[in-house]
Amino acid sequence: MSKLTGLTGALLALATPALAAETDWPAFGHDHSNRNASDLTQIDRSNVGQLAPAWIFQTGVTGYFQAQPVMVEGVMYLSTTQNHVAALDAKTGKVLWTYLHKPRTDKIFGPPSNRGVAVSDGLVYEATMDGRIVALDAKTGKLAWDKEAVRPEEGETETASGLADTLGGKPVQGSSRLGFKMPPLVAEGLVIVGVTGAGYGLHVEDPTGGLDGGAVVGIEGGYGRRGWLAAYDAKTGEERWRWYVTPSEGWEGKFSEATPDGEALHRDIAAEKAAAPQNRDAWRVGGGSLWMTPAYDPTLGLIYLGTGNPAPQNFGASRPGDNLYTMCLVALDVHTGKLRWYYQQVPHDEWGYDVAAPPFLLDGPNGTKAVASASKTGWIYVHDRATGALLTRSEPLLAQKNLFQPPSAEGTVVAPGPLGAVSWPPTAYDGHLAYVQVRHGATTYTVKSVPAGPGRPEIRFTETGTAKGEPSFSTLTAVDLNGGGRIAWSVRAGSRLSGGTLATAGGLVFSGEEDGHLDAHDSATGKLLWRFQCGAGISGPAMTYAIDGRQYVAVAAGGASYTQAAGFGTGDALVVFALPQ
């Protein structure tokens, strides 16, 4: 890994307000509440226009730089694509140590991105795309322990002969490959992390590495994997418990005709029940990836996480039933992994509406202790933390079209599509408003088939593609979750938003764009107050911290699928901003 540190020469001769104390950013989302918000006030509405780079660190590894840094006691810890880790002096960017990750296999799912590390009791924890959890000494970067949790290619199924040619000549990958993307949660002496890649089944590989352009399809058959979340001893790496997303009993659920909040699902329940006997083992390959870090309530001893789509994605014929516990917000006992409650946002999903964004804790209506989940379907759901009861559902974050209408041979246009409304990037919550990046757009879901051939039956699948003529844009939207879920304000972005949001007590909301801009908005009105071109697309969430009376804002700029598809390059820079001294 190489580095580049530097101080901007464009310093203005203005005094900067002092801070009372140093303030860390000790975990993903700032703390176990996952609120992605800070009480720091030095950078505020009146002076954010003076914000300029204080130092820059370049990893030397480009592409899908999605990590949110962690800062503890003056040291910043940062993971990169390829799962390398660096410890930096948080004032200057000076490299203190680096860890070079050596994967044991190159058969991973998707691009080799990583979304952050966890730091606790002198150790730095990272979950890797090649299925390992590593613990590093926080002072030296030396390996403390290395646990192989899963082999990504384990159980992989070979593709049927000739299938690639019948699907446009694009390479077809067999069974999903399991690995880790999320920053671990460290709680009660446990390192808790869940796998991605479980819900895709047999699919056409997308050369852009994402879902844009409709290259990924779900194909009928037993090609998926079973998603899981596990807890490991923080000192030794030994597994303490594991929870599987798809249960061996009850996976079919109630064959729900509507979502729990009353939206019709347009399912052919009779056909599903008729198909159930020959698909009773579908749970064994049922999917349910876990994309982002759980929130944790130490008083209740519960962790809250969102689960991903069932397998095969977007095609439900071979998995009749509700496909529990995919597409859910779930609460688990932190000590045992036992399920306490669940809320399935989309039973029998056929649209890719993963509950991907990290849940966050809040004081809900009338002071209720609550947990919120921003969804791909276009709502923010607020639940009682102890029981899971739905307390409120926000106004729609975007214009929904044909929501929950099933894929068809003619092609069904549905808004939103599999990228959301709200995907994995975190939502910031400042105690009053939730600030969320919303993608507006539609997708066409088309059921297709490959005729039977020598040695194989007919293959059916759902293909996703861009819905021509439908609008496509992003908004930064503020939602009052204590005011009935009303939208307080919404502003259209210059390019597609990504990476998530950061709120500060200085009255600001920071939001990244895929064209490389980091923006600062007035948190009360949405007015754009400042923006900076970071040189590559923002695809990770910003964070903030303070040292020696100076507040900093840091964000990774490594490019994103949209900018790469448009012909722009990737980057490798962590850009750290501050007011002039």
Side-chain angles (χ1 to χ4, degrees):
M1 299 171 66
S2 64
K3 69 183 181 70
L4 171 67
T5 59
L7 294 173
T8 178
L11 300 180
L12 303 177
L14 295 172
T16 304
L19 291 173
E22 295 184 3
T23 305
D24 292 352
W25 188 278
F28 172 82
H30 190 227
D31 55 34
H32 288 159
S33 71
N34 269 353
R35 292 183 184 179
N36 235 54
S38 169
D39 291 333
L40 294 177
T41 60
Q42 185 180 89
I43 303 169
D44 61 22
R45 297 182 180 97
S46 68
N47 59 26
V48 68
Q50 303 167 28
L51 207 60
W55 55 266
I56 296 172
F57 171 73
Q58 289 181 286
T59 69
V61 183
T62 60
Y64 291 100
F65 192 9
Q66 297 179 329
Q68 182 182 67
V70 171
M71 199 287 282
V72 178
E73 296 179 349
V75 179
M76 178 179 289
Y77 302 93
L78 176 70
S79 62
T80 76
T81 187
Q82 306 291 350
N83 295 123
H84 306 319
V85 180
L88 312 170
D89 183 309
K91 283 183 64 175
T92 66
K94 178 183 177 181
V95 176
L96 304 177
W97 56 256
T98 60
Y99 162 74
L100 183 64
H101 185 68
K102 297 179 181 179
R104 294 173 184 164
T105 178
D106 59 358
K107 293 184 176 182
I108 64 172
F109 167 73
S113 57
N114 180 271
R115 293 171 180 167
V117 300
V119 180
S120 180
D121 292 333
L123 293 176
V124 180
Y125 301 96
E126 182 189 34
T128 73
M129 283 301 295
D130 62 323
R132 291 152 59 192
I133 304 163
V134 297
L136 309 173
D137 185 287
K139 292 188 179 299
T140 66
K142 292 183 178 179
L143 191 66
W145 53 260
D146 182 344
K147 169 75 174 182
E148 184 175 79
V150 64
R151 280 274 178 173
E153 68 271 30
E154 187 177 287
E156 194 164 34
T157 304
E158 292 299 323
T159 304
S161 175
L163 185 57
D165 290 338
T166 64
L167 292 178
K170 298 174 183 176
V172 176
Q173 181 174 297
S175 180
S176 295
R177 297 166 179 167
L178 298 185
F180 299 110
K181 281 186 179 289
M182 70 168 64
L185 168 68
V186 181
E188 306 298 331
L190 300 171
V191 181
I192 301 170
V193 67
V195 293
T196 62
Y200 286 90
L202 191 67
H203 64 279
V204 174
E205 290 184 339
D206 184 349
T208 69
L211 296 180
D212 304 78
V216 177
V217 300
I219 301 176
E220 179 181 21
Y223 300 102
R225 302 289 289 279
R226 197 182 183 199
W228 50 264
L229 181 92
Y232 301 87
D233 187 286
K235 296 298 183 185
T236 67
E238 293 301 311
E239 185 174 318
R240 296 305 181 204
W241 56 256
R242 181 178 295 203
W243 177 76
Y244 284 97
V245 177
T246 60
S248 58
E249 298 290 337
W251 136 274
E252 67 279 357
K254 300 177 181 178
F255 289 89
S256 304
E257 296 186 357
T259 66
D261 44 321
E263 301 293 331
L265 289 168
H266 311 289
R267 292 166 62 179
D268 189 339
I269 299 296
E272 287 185 41
K273 288 183 175 180
Q278 62 264 36
N279 292 283
R280 60 172 55 92
D281 290 333
W283 61 271
R284 296 182 183 276
V285 289
S289 292
L290 302 166
W291 293 103
M292 288 306 295
T293 307
Y296 170 51
D297 183 334
T299 302
L300 294 174
L302 295 181
I303 60 175
Y304 306 91
L305 65 147
T307 66
N309 60 265
Q313 66 170 16
N314 303 343
F315 193 85
S318 60
R319 49 174 173 84
D322 293 348
N323 310 144
L324 296 174
Y325 295 102
T326 65
M327 318 308 287
C328 288
L329 178 67
V330 302
L332 305 180
D333 186 294
V334 69
H335 298 288
T336 65
K338 299 295 184 182
L339 180 70
R340 290 285 190 88
W341 58 258
Y342 73 93
Y343 183 93
Q344 191 173 35
Q345 292 180 6
V346 187
H348 193 73
D349 172 79
E350 294 193 279
W351 306 273
Y353 290 149
D354 311 68
V355 185
F360 58 96
L361 306 184
L362 69 157
D363 293 329
N366 302 316
T368 307
K369 296 300 181 183
V371 57
S373 173
S375 74
K376 284 189 174 183
T377 58
W379 292 288
I380 300 178
Y381 301 90
V382 182
H383 302 266
D384 184 286
R385 285 186 219 169
T387 67
L390 184 64
L391 301 175
T392 189
R393 187 184 77 172
S394 74
E395 295 177 347
L397 305 176
L398 77 176
Q400 296 155 324
K401 181 175 183 177
N402 294 330
L403 194 62
F404 305 132
Q405 290 289 342
S408 64
E410 299 77 23
T412 304
V413 175
V414 180
L419 291 177
V422 185
S423 190
W424 71 266
T427 299
Y429 179 75
D430 66 1
H432 174 54
L433 297 177
Y435 305 96
V436 60
Q437 295 178 328
V438 183
R439 290 182 174 180
H440 301 246
T443 295
T444 301
Y445 296 82
T446 307
V447 177
K448 296 186 176 182
S449 66
V450 178
R456 62 166 172 77
E458 177 189 21
I459 297 174
R460 296 178 296 170
F461 60 95
T462 297
E463 187 173 51
T464 59
T466 302
K468 296 180 179 179
E470 296 289 335
S472 179
F473 60 94
S474 291
T475 57
L476 179 64
T477 300
V479 183
D480 186 349
L481 296 182
N482 280 309
R486 69 175 183 86
I487 293 177
W489 53 259
S490 186
V491 294
R492 186 162 176 165
S495 70
R496 200 162 71 176
L497 297 179
S498 60
T501 53
L502 163 68
T504 74
L508 300 172
V509 179
F510 291 89
S511 176
E513 298 190 40
E514 289 195 351
D515 70 354
H517 282 100
L518 179 65
D519 304 329
H521 294 258
D522 187 309
S523 61
T525 66
K527 180 181 178 180
L528 181 64
L529 302 176
W530 169 89
R531 67 196 318 236
F532 185 89
Q533 175 53 255
C534 294
I538 307 297
S539 56
M543 52 83 80
T544 188
Y545 61 95
I547 298 178
D548 293 341
R550 194 180 191 196
Q551 183 182 353
Y552 300 81
V553 175
V555 70
S561 60
Y562 171 79
T563 53
Q564 291 178 52
F568 297 100
T570 56
D572 68 344
L574 178 74
V575 187
V576 181
F577 301 90
L579 294 173
Q581 292 180 310

